[in-house]
Amino acid sequence: MSDIAANIDRIRAKLGDRVTLIAVTKTVEPERIAEALDAGVTICGESKVQEAKAKIALVSSRARWHFIGHLQTNKVRDAVELFEMIHSVDSVKLAAEINKWADRLGKTMPVLLEINVSGEGSKFGMKPEDLPAALAEMNKLPRVEVRGLMTIPPAGKDARPFFRKLRELRDAHGLPELSMGMTHDYEVAVEEGATMVRIGTGIFGERKRNEPTE
Ligand SMILES: *Cc1c(COP(=O)(O)O)cnc(C)c1O
């Protein structure tokens, strides 16, 4: 068994059947993505639209693709075409742009709202207090379906309180999905109720390049 397949088996054993594994494939070559698919991965996460576009053309229909990075307005059209879900919507303006392109392309786009639970670290994500008003606006967009919340906790701190806060927010709004947990903290995220975890390094090993999200 390859390292990639063994890593996936070990992670899936810890996730059980109720948590969806998203294999984060940023900077990973198509051949190694194919190994992950052979080992049973069905959803890949990418954080850059351009990189994903090239890769999806090569790996294509064998995987479903989720967008997990920061999305710029001028990339929304491609994102709506390429991805099955966008995890990182952090403004009503971005949701409106997604709605516009989803309408033109004749689809409905499931999205998650990225929340900056801690108020520190990441410069992306909505403030928790802005969520109710944003949801009210987004619910008026017929081609955008808000399915849940996503967060990236600040580095170097215990993630548990941030995951717990995200779950409380999700519960308060009656949404189904919680995208939280990466390689170093996914077990805690699962304990706190994650429905999707996003794991790169734990499957593919250390990335050679550590580029900022676009
Ligand atoms: C890169 C990335 C991940 C995966 O991180 P690992 O530590 O390699 O598991 C998860 N979520 C987002 C948003 C990312 O950009």
Side-chain angles (χ1 to χ4, degrees), residues 2-214:
S2 75
D3 285 354
I4 289 173
N7 290 341
I8 290 167
D9 276 4
R10 185 173 33 81
I11 292 165
R12 289 177 108 194
K14 288 185 191 163
L15 296 180
D17 330 314
R18 294 205 309 278
V19 183
T20 301
L21 172 62
I22 296 170
V24 176
T25 51
K26 61 188 182 198
T27 79
V28 178
E29 309 79 4
E31 303 75 48
R32 298 172 71 233
I33 299 175
E35 270 186 59
L37 299 176
D38 289 341
V41 158
T42 55
I43 304 179
C44 297
E46 284 282 337
S47 60
K48 291 187 167 194
V49 174
Q50 287 312 112
E51 182 187 336
K53 196 172 183 176
K55 236 180 254 180
I56 291 172
L58 295 170
V59 185
S60 78
S61 57
R62 293 189 60 207
R64 291 145 59 197
W65 300 84
H66 284 203
F67 189 75
I68 62 172
H70 182 65
L71 184 55
Q72 291 170 334
T73 312
N74 63 351
K75 305 266 172 63
V76 169
R77 185 210 165 107
D78 278 347
V80 169
E81 260 180 334
L82 295 167
F83 295 96
E84 173 175 294
M85 182 180 271
I86 297 171
H87 287 228
S88 42
V89 173
D90 63 357
S91 70
V92 175
K93 184 167 163 272
L94 181 59
E97 191 70 13
I98 292 169
N99 184 70
K100 180 181 93 183
W101 284 108
D103 189 51
R104 292 197 192 165
L105 296 164
K107 38 157 95 173
T108 301
M109 197 69 212
V111 304
L112 307 178
L113 305 188
E114 181 173 352
I115 308 292
N116 186 348
V117 182
S118 66
E120 56 184 280
S122 171
K123 58 187 153 111
F124 303 121
M126 296 192 316
K127 294 187 204 138
E129 57 269 34
D130 293 340
L131 180 60
L135 269 175
E137 286 304 308
M138 291 180 197
N139 286 337
K140 297 177 193 160
L141 303 171
R143 298 293 195 159
V144 170
E145 187 190 356
V146 179
R147 302 273 303 152
L149 306 180
M150 177 271 227
T151 200
I152 304 171
K157 288 198 173 180
D158 177 15
R160 191 182 297 277
F162 305 114
F163 292 153
R164 189 164 292 175
K165 178 85 191 292
L166 194 73
R167 180 173 64 174
E168 287 165 7
L169 278 174
R170 190 276 315 255
D171 290 347
H173 294 284
L175 298 166
E177 304 290 353
L178 267 184
S179 167
M180 57 189 199
M182 313 188 348
T183 296
H184 63 284
D185 56 15
Y186 76 91
E187 287 163 283
V188 175
V190 168
E191 284 169 12
E192 295 300 331
T195 64
M196 300 174 173
V197 295
R198 310 177 307 268
I199 300 182
T201 311
I203 294 175
F204 299 106
E206 292 291 335
R207 284 180 289 278
K208 288 181 214 87
R209 300 173 279 147
N210 207 353
E211 294 168 300
T213 51
E214 66 190 11

